Amino acid sequence: MIWHILIIGILLPQSLAHPGFFTSIGQMTDLIHTEKDLVTSLKDYIKAEEDKLEQIKKWAEKLDRLTSTATKDPEGFVGHPVNAFKLMKRLNTEWSELENLVLKDMSDGFISNLTIQRQYFPNDEDQVGAAKALLRLQDTYNLDTDTISKGNLPGVKHKSFLTAEDCFELGKVAYTEADYYHTELWMEQALRQLDEGEISTIDKVSVLDYLSYAVYQQGDLDKALLLTKKLLELDPEHQRANGNLKYFEYIMAKEKDVNKSASDDQSDQKTTPKKKGVAVDYLPERQKYEMLCRGEGIKMTPRRQKKLFCRYHDGNRNPKFILAPAKQEDEWDKPRIIRFHDIISDAEIEIVKDLAKPRLSRATVHDPETGKLTTAQYRVSKSAWLSGYENPVVSRINMRIQDLTGLDVSTAEELQKDEPDAFKELGTGNRIATWLFYMSDVSAGGATVFPEVGASVWPKKGTAVFWYNLFASGEGDYSTRHAACPVLVGNKWVSNKWLHERGQEFRRPCTLSELE
């Protein structure tokens, strides 16, 4: 019996040394402890350097007093045999000892620790991945750059700010991806913060250089020209800006001639500027998906809402639930989505998480061109698989699912299969139903959404949701197509059980109607 565990963090290919840190809150917390250890090591190094300087300082103060006295009467001073001996001793021995102290490298311990820890550091792909994740959150939750930069996100416990340099870096990542829409947004934010007087390692010239070109790429030639002139006011010798200025002026003059010729033929004809928009990979379904993630889904009519109930469920008189029935709540009517409350304890959750953490790996998707499993930018979760025989807690939870659903869990998937279609044959029949545990609360975001019907189901620790992927006839219910929303603040642990057709023949008999 295999159980699928999924952790979804908040922003690509991986290597053995760099396992895609940006895709997992769990692994990022390890980096926090690593950085804390390095800070401790750095403070130890600073203390060692301070102790060393303190010793040198004491030497300097002692010798300053001694030489001040000696230089007042050099002959009289060395006339004393003890002073003569000590002078020879200092210059022959003690100054050599001081030299060795000054040359002593106190950084060995820190550098050694840093070298060891560096092999576990994130790489460029992780940094770029985290930046792209932030841009995705910006679009999904309709956030402006100023809100993100100031850290004004819902449910935050540890407020954090973006510097102008951070905003510039986000803009550069978007620029590298030819995403000029986000390049413009973040370069403008960086420029605003610099205009407000923020001290930064980047300058306005660098920002304006990227910004003017991003604006030009989106078809706003007037604004691109204005920004280029502003850049040249700051740096009149900027070679690329001077070249762009001539090119922009040439294009504008050419367009002016074309418009003039067109107006002679049709005086009321107007040219329509190229409209700015979001990234080029924007999909038709994405707008509906993002609205659902923001909680802007379809609102049920009062008549439909009246048909949704909360109840106690005893698993069809199952002995385990007669005295302590499960709490059940209707989340949606068509398709029917049911939530079970208090269905998994905190202790069970911790055991499952401890079992899963060492096995977490980047979730993959099916590439229709190659037929192979591969990572994808839009799926940055990490997953693991647990077998019922590995731990009695996992086995007990599996039986709980069977008792409450009335379905046989023995034919559930035994290998991880990331498929584009939940109804593809997998040897034990199609996926007849899905059971999804929420093993953490999420401060903001992280809903499970059903774009076909406009439903959003929000995470709540200790609960589980259940729905059928197939009609009783065996036909696929495509209204259950669902997707996970990115976590805006916090982290999300879920575990799911895919139940299959095989073994359910008498537990859920087939009907004659295709859509029942």
Side-chain angles (χ1 to χ4, degrees), residues 173-348:
V173 169
Y175 181 88
T176 303
E177 296 293 312
D179 178 3
Y180 301 114
Y181 171 72
H182 285 106
T183 302
E184 179 184 0
L185 293 178
W186 284 103
M187 289 301 173
E188 284 186 336
Q189 180 63 33
L191 191 61
R192 275 196 299 271
Q193 292 182 203
L194 291 175
D195 287 339
E196 291 169 0
E198 182 179 318
I199 305 299
S200 178
T201 56
I202 63 165
D203 54 51
K204 293 182 182 180
V205 170
S206 299
V207 177
L208 286 166
D209 192 17
Y210 279 96
L211 180 56
S212 59
Y213 188 74
V215 169
Y216 161 70
Q217 283 291 334
Q218 295 180 89
D220 195 340
L221 197 56
D222 289 333
K223 185 176 180 181
L225 183 63
L226 185 66
L227 290 168
T228 303
K229 288 180 178 179
K230 188 175 180 181
L231 189 162
L232 288 170
E233 288 176 5
L234 299 172
D235 184 4
E237 303 301 319
H238 196 284
Q239 185 175 356
R240 184 166 46 251
N242 277 297
N244 287 344
L245 180 65
K246 293 177 182 178
Y247 177 71
F248 294 159
E249 289 176 339
Y250 166 74
I251 294 295
M252 290 187 75
K254 192 174 180 181
E255 286 185 354
K256 188 175 181 180
D257 290 341
V258 170
N259 291 338
K260 185 178 180 181
S261 299
S263 63
D264 292 339
D265 298 330
Q266 189 174 353
S267 59
D268 60 343
Q269 183 177 346
K270 296 181 180 179
T271 57
T272 304
K274 183 179 177 182
K275 189 177 181 181
K276 294 185 181 182
V278 294
V280 293
D281 63 345
Y282 201 88
L283 301 174
E285 282 186 311
R286 186 167 163 183
Q287 184 176 7
K288 184 185 291 185
Y289 162 77
E290 290 176 351
M291 288 180 65
L292 291 172
C293 289
R294 296 192 294 267
E296 300 171 3
I298 296 173
K299 304 301 180 184
M300 279 193 179
T301 62
R303 178 177 294 182
R304 288 179 66 186
Q305 287 178 345
K306 288 179 180 179
K307 296 179 181 179
L308 302 181
F309 294 96
C310 293
R311 68 186 67 82
Y312 286 107
H313 180 64
D314 62 10
N316 295 323
R317 303 294 293 172
N318 187 294
K320 298 176 185 177
F321 294 99
I322 290 176
L323 294 180
K327 302 172 186 174
Q328 197 180 78
E329 177 187 2
D330 293 329
E331 284 279 351
W332 203 258
D333 54 355
K334 292 181 181 179
R336 192 182 182 204
I337 304 171
I338 299 170
R339 187 191 294 265
F340 290 87
H341 290 268
D342 302 321
I343 204 62
I344 184 171
S345 68
D346 289 349
E348 290 173 328

Side-chain angles (χ1 to χ4, degrees), residues 102-115:
V102 171
L103 292 175
K104 185 177 181 181
D105 189 354
M106 311 303 291
S107 66
D108 287 348
F110 170 69
I111 295 300
S112 176
N113 190 20
L114 181 61
T115 302

Side-chain angles (χ1 to χ4, degrees), residues 360-411:
L360 288 173
S361 61
R362 179 78 177 272
T364 55
V365 297
H366 185 272
D367 188 330
E369 294 183 3
T370 64
K372 297 179 180 180
L373 295 177
T374 183
T375 57
Q377 289 186 16
Y378 59 83
R379 191 173 191 187
V380 294
S381 59
K382 293 206 169 185
S383 61
W385 295 89
L386 298 180
S387 300
Y389 61 80
E390 295 182 57
N391 190 283
V393 170
V394 179
S395 179
R396 184 168 69 242
I397 294 172
N398 281 333
M399 289 308 302
R400 189 178 304 157
I401 295 171
Q402 178 167 301
D403 292 336
L404 289 172
T405 62
L407 299 175
D408 187 353
V409 296
S410 65
T411 57

